[in-house]
Amino acid sequence: MAGNEWMRRNVPRLWFARRAVRRFMPGESAEDALKAAEKFQGQHIPVLFTRLGENVTRAEQHEAAADHYAWLIEETHRRGLDGEASVKLTHLAMDMSPPAMQKHMDLLAETAAANGNRTVWIDMEGTDYTEPTLAEYERLKARYPNVGICLQAYLKRTYSDVERLLPLEPKIRLVKGAYSESVEIAYQTRREVDANYMALCVSMLAQIKAGRGLFLGLGTHDVRLIKQLAQHARSIGLPRTCFDVEMLYGIRADQQRRLAKDGYNVRVLIAYGDYWYPWYMRRLAERPANVIFALRQLLP
Ligand code: FDA
């Protein structure tokens, strides 16, 4: 459903869908996102910002997205907020013009470096884009230290992708993965995905312990897994601050606060913008109970 064009055009017009999506977004405008970030700052929780958009088809769309992110990074700095941008490369023209995408990413990495030495994060999309996304990360990381990339634990290739990136001293956000991928290339069951997530983290923590330059962010709401990894880190002599915990706005907010209180480095990703349909569908797919929540919005 996330890829259905008719649904994408029509669902956002439904008032109850607009009401339901507010659970995962403070609002559609950048100001809504910045205001939410100010609230998190009050709880000592830094943020990530994503302006929703993907697979753009017109030059003015990717130019506008790049300009917006550059402005957002400067504005975040101007307001004294601890916030970083997390972008999708297909929002910045990866499909239609790789040279334009590279120009946009250079601009964002430079703007982020000049505004408080922030990191710019690259989201990982469906597997048609895995290889070009990794290649762009390699290109960028050779020029700018302040870029990070998301990798997906459901993909069978991810272990070798980590190995491939290690010499670059990468910043990696590990997520379970949000797209529908085939059994040939992706683990399908929750047990398998969790086991691979754990194995990948154990191996990255060993690299951190050995003093390799590697930043690890756990992009998951799976608190059981986070705690197991903190225990494992402790068993090899690393503090719980050896990784960041990154969660989405509106999901397990109580745990976000609790983990921050317990001394974990927590960061919350705030998504905003009006192109929320495919992203929202992926949030529903992760947890079918969210569909019931969305339907309940029909009630007065
Ligand atoms: P899991 O699905 O096992 O959920 C663990 C628990 O978290 C659930 O039991 C439930 O309590 C809660 N939960 C999880 N999802 C929920 C939801 N939608 N609604 C309500 N509760 C929910 N993916 C990707 O492919 N590319 C990317 O670039 C990113 N980027 C990204 C950044 C950040 C900061 C996060 C947190 C996640 C992503 N993702 C992503 C999404 C990721 O791949 C994954 O789909 C979701 O995080 C859900 O998986 P969990 O790891 O939370 O575990």
Side-chain angles (χ1 to χ4, degrees):
M1 281 169 74
N4 184 298
E5 192 48 30
W6 186 88
M7 299 276 285
R8 192 195 63 67
R9 269 186 279 112
N10 290 289
V11 170
R13 294 189 190 146
L14 301 172
W15 63 268
F16 78 92
R18 300 178 75 87
R19 197 162 121 178
V21 78
R22 288 299 291 265
R23 178 178 168 191
F24 299 113
M25 285 170 58
E28 291 189 356
S29 74
E31 192 53 38
D32 293 329
L34 287 160
K35 284 259 158 60
E38 279 162 12
K39 278 201 194 135
F40 280 111
Q41 184 113 326
Q43 299 165 17
H44 308 288
I45 296 180
V47 299
L48 294 151
F49 294 109
T50 290
R51 186 185 194 204
L52 297 171
E54 50 198 86
N55 298 109
V56 295
T57 51
R58 296 196 313 276
E60 63 267 26
Q61 293 172 311
H62 61 78
E63 298 288 348
D67 289 350
H68 177 85
Y69 273 123
W71 168 83
L72 180 83
I73 292 165
E74 286 168 358
E75 186 60 17
T76 306
H77 187 57
R78 202 181 62 74
R79 295 191 190 197
L81 293 171
D82 187 346
E84 298 172 340
S86 195
V87 304
K88 284 195 174 25
L89 293 185
T90 66
H91 195 190
L92 295 169
M94 179 153 65
D95 283 325
M96 50 182 299
S97 169
M101 171 200 68
Q102 293 185 351
K103 184 190 79 176
H104 295 326
M105 288 309 298
D106 286 346
L107 168 75
L108 297 185
E110 280 160 21
T111 309
N115 284 272
N117 197 23
R118 287 155 208 269
T119 298
V120 176
W121 288 91
I122 299 176
D123 290 353
M124 188 57 82
E125 303 179 59
T127 42
D128 288 349
Y129 300 110
T130 310
E131 195 50 46
T133 302
L134 285 164
E136 173 59 5
Y137 184 67
E138 289 174 318
R139 185 193 73 83
L140 273 173
K141 193 71 174 69
R143 304 176 67 171
Y144 308 101
N146 60 322
V147 281
I149 187 168
C150 178
L151 298 180
Q152 298 154 323
Y154 65 5
L155 292 188
K156 295 177 182 173
R157 59 176 288 165
T158 295
Y159 186 83
S160 54
D161 291 339
V162 172
E163 296 265 288
R164 167 177 162 183
L165 296 182
L166 273 178
L168 298 170
E169 306 202 335
K171 291 173 185 254
I172 293 177
R173 168 196 306 148
L174 188 68
V175 300
K176 291 189 186 177
Y179 297 79
S180 174
E181 306 291 0
S182 72
V183 66
E184 285 77 33
I185 56 170
Y187 298 110
Q188 304 290 319
T189 67
R190 184 174 176 159
R191 201 173 52 82
E192 286 172 326
V193 176
D194 287 2
N196 200 39
Y197 194 104
M198 192 73 183
L200 286 163
C201 287
V202 165
S203 106
M204 285 191 271
L205 288 174
Q207 297 291 337
I208 292 171
K209 175 71 184 167
R212 294 284 288 267
L214 167 65
F215 174 94
L216 175 61
L218 308 183
T220 181
H221 313 94
D222 193 334
V223 175
R224 194 185 48 90
L225 206 53
I226 292 166
K227 291 200 168 153
Q228 276 175 6
L229 283 163
Q231 270 171 18
H232 173 75
R234 200 169 69 172
S235 77
I236 60 170
L238 289 171
R240 57 182 55 173
T241 48
C242 68
F243 52 73
D244 271 14
V245 174
E246 300 172 354
M247 295 195 185
L248 302 180
Y249 176 95
I251 300 183
R252 308 205 91 175
D254 54 336
Q255 292 291 345
Q256 295 169 9
R257 287 189 294 271
R258 167 148 331 146
L259 290 170
K261 258 202 198 111
D262 288 349
Y264 290 85
N265 292 328
V266 178
R267 203 175 264 275
V268 172
L269 189 148
I270 302 172
Y272 64 98
D274 56 10
Y275 195 92
W276 45 258
Y277 171 77
W279 179 86
Y280 180 51
M281 282 298 121
R282 293 195 288 271
R283 302 291 80 78
L284 294 188
E286 281 156 7
R287 193 162 158 77
N290 289 340
V291 178
I292 309 285
F293 175 85
L295 291 174
R296 272 213 208 110
Q297 305 308 304
L298 277 165
L299 301 173

